[in-house]
Every structure is written in structure tokens, then in C-alpha cells.
Amino acid sequence: MQDREEDNGAPRLTPERLDAALALRVVLHCAGSVRGLVGDDAWRRGIRVTSAADTNAIPVAEYILAAIIFAGKKIPFLAADERLAYEGWGRVTGYGDLSNFAQTVGIVGFSRIGRKVVELLKVLDDTTCLVADPYADPAEVAAAGATLVELRELLPRVDVLSLHAPELQETRHLIGAEQLRLLPDHATVINTARGSLADSDALAAECASGRLFAILDVTDPEPLPASSPLRRLAQVVVTPACGGVARFGDWASHRPHPRRAGPVARAAAAAGRGHRGVLGPRTECLSRCLPCARHRRRYAP
């Protein structure tokens, strides 16, 4: 993957930077994934790393729940359809059932956020939740209230497809033209994970045809060029990566509660005590955001 410092909000810990910080023992990342920030050199030096990924999963999952509910009613797409403003709401066609009752939601990637979305979906009536993830434990998925299936089985059955897989070479365009063709008419694709998981050109073509819809908090490339059809289509909503916490550093390091420090502050204290809850080279595998050698199996469709 490309080394893009601007994606991390912080400079990558290169060997040169680590050489200049010989006393460094702990890295506290006040955001989600550390994959673009920390590499093998940091692990070899025994540096402990923690992030606010668990904390960030909450607002992102809430964004997705709202997106799923709006997608069921097709609210943002109806609002963008100028034709309806002149012809009246009684002429709504081409959007499928405008309902959230008994819909099927597909979760690709049983990650922190994916798990939280499955939990939040319980507020909807009679919703079926399917999960596709080659690493997930079927028992854990079932305990969360979902069913683990293969991706090719999931796609034709869902009204909403929400992406939560990690960004790897193996997951680039995990949802491409072939996978999009398997989705039912009027289905909505939601991507809050990584833009590269979906083939932007193929998605734009399906949305332009009026067959599919999309809500994208991440894109590929990012930001989208002005010429991208995804910017102009009424069937597509693009938001500026706002699913997570906007002022992440302030929120993660301190929350205004008389007896509770922020999650990263707690992690720093734990790291100082050598607590196993802090991620490090020999404590807990970052399989969800920094896949190690034994987790680089193909993320098979």
C-alpha cells in the first residue's frame, strides 16, 4: 500500500524518525487504524502502540445506522431528485420499497465497527443481518445476532451493503463490477471503511443507471476529482469522512467526566505498567488494522 502520511494525520514512524527517538516506548494514536503510521521497525524495537479505534467505532457505527435507515426510505436520493419537486410525491417510482421493515443488511467485515453496527441494527423491526468475513467465528457472529455467509451468497440477498473490511492489496475492489451486478435492484452500498474497497467506476456506472444507490464517507481517490460522476449523481451521497469523531485528539485524550479519563489517557497509563490490553508486538495481534504475516491470507470474495 502507498505510504500516505496525510491519511494518518501524523507522520509515519520511519526508521530515521525512530533513530531520532531512541527513548520512545509508547505510541498513542488518537484515531483509528495505525497501519499507515507504524511499521515492522517499530514492532522490532518493542514499542507499544495503542489507538482510539474502539472509541471511534461508536460514532462511525451511529453514522452507518442513520445511513441504513435513510437508505431504506431513500430519503437523500428522493431529496436530490429534482423531478419529484415538480411532479409531486405521488409519482415516486424507481426507488423500490420505501421501508425499513424486514430488510436485509449485509456487513462485509466483522470488525469493531461491523460488530457495533450489527448490535445497533437490533432497534429496527424484523431486520436480517448477514456477515461476510473469512476471519470471523460463526459462533461469535451468531451471538451478535447475525449469520455468517460467503460474500457471493450475501450479495444477492441484501437491501443494504455496508463495507467494513481492512485496506489490503487483497481487498482492493473487493466490491467490483461483478459483485455489484449481484446486488438486487434498488440496493444501497454504504462505505465508511476505505474507498479502495469498492471500484468507483463500476459503482458510478450502476448508480448512473438508476439501479443502485450509494452513501460514501470514503472514496477512491480521496478526495474525488471534480470530474467524478459520483459527485453529480442524485443516486449518490458523498460526505467528507465525517463518520468518526471530528476533534479526535481532544475527545480521545480527555472526556469531561469527574472520574473517567479518556481512552488514550487510560491506555498510556496501562502501557507504563506493561498492561496486556495495550497493543504491542507480543501482546495482541492487530489483525483488524495492521495484519501481520500470518493474517495476510486472501480476503476471498
Side-chain angles (χ1 to χ4, degrees):
M1 305 307 291
Q2 281 186 307
D3 181 8
R4 297 172 295 180
E5 293 190 358
E6 63 273 16
D7 289 351
N8 306 317
R12 183 173 177 81
L13 292 177
T14 62
E16 294 77 16
R17 287 170 176 148
L18 290 170
D19 287 341
L22 296 178
L24 181 64
R25 295 292 179 268
V26 180
V27 174
L28 310 176
H29 185 48
C30 296
S33 173
V34 299
R35 189 164 55 83
L37 177 67
V38 179
D40 291 340
D41 292 289
W43 304 131
R44 282 194 291 266
R45 297 174 192 229
I47 297 172
R48 293 181 179 273
V49 179
T50 188
S51 79
D54 285 337
T55 299
N56 192 46
I58 298 170
V60 177
E62 291 169 346
Y63 171 107
I64 295 162
L65 176 64
I68 289 170
I69 293 172
F70 269 45
K73 302 293 288 185
K74 298 296 189 296
I75 289 173
F77 315 117
L78 290 169
D81 189 340
E82 296 181 357
R83 172 180 58 90
L84 296 178
Y86 297 98
E87 296 184 4
W89 296 103
R91 297 175 178 265
V92 177
T93 58
Y95 290 89
D97 294 333
L98 303 182
S99 173
N100 283 298
F101 177 72
Q103 70 172 342
T104 300
V105 176
I107 304 294
V108 179
F110 198 51
S111 61
R112 294 178 180 89
I113 296 171
R115 292 166 190 251
K116 187 66 177 175
V117 173
V118 171
E119 176 187 333
L120 292 179
L121 283 172
K122 294 174 183 177
V123 303
L124 299 179
D125 265 350
D126 202 20
T127 296
T128 298
C129 191
L130 304 178
V131 171
D133 187 326
Y135 303 113
D137 181 340
E140 288 186 15
V141 174
T147 302
L148 186 65
V149 297
E150 295 292 328
L151 182 58
R152 289 188 65 84
E153 179 185 347
L154 177 148
L155 293 170
R157 298 171 58 183
V158 301
D159 301 294
V160 177
L161 180 69
S162 188
L163 306 183
H164 305 282
E167 184 181 36
L168 304 171
Q169 292 291 354
E170 294 86 348
T171 60
R172 178 169 178 79
H173 293 180
L174 181 66
I175 305 300
E178 178 185 352
Q179 289 74 29
L180 291 169
R181 282 194 294 269
L182 293 175
L183 290 171
D185 290 351
H186 315 303
T188 300
V189 177
I190 299 174
N191 192 0
T192 58
R194 291 291 184 266
S196 64
L197 297 180
D199 183 332
S200 294
D201 292 337
L203 182 60
E206 287 282 10
C207 292
S209 74
R211 198 180 77 81
L212 297 181
F213 301 86
I215 299 176
L216 309 174
D217 197 42
V218 292
T219 58
D220 183 32
E222 198 166 56
L224 286 173
S227 60
S228 172
L230 292 172
R231 286 187 175 273
R232 302 188 300 272
L233 291 171
Q235 295 84 359
V236 179
V237 172
V238 179
T239 56
C242 62
V245 178
R247 297 180 61 188
F248 218 146
D250 292 344
W251 199 84
S253 61
H254 174 70
R255 295 182 69 183
H257 190 287
R259 293 181 300 277
R260 181 172 59 194
V264 173
R266 293 198 303 273
R273 298 191 300 270
H275 194 276
R276 288 184 60 83
V278 178
L279 302 181
R282 287 177 294 276
T283 54
E284 182 176 338
C285 183
L286 283 167
S287 60
R288 292 297 173 188
C289 80
L290 182 64
C292 64
R294 68 178 182 276
H295 282 92
R296 288 190 178 276
R297 296 174 296 175
R298 181 171 179 78
Y299 209 98

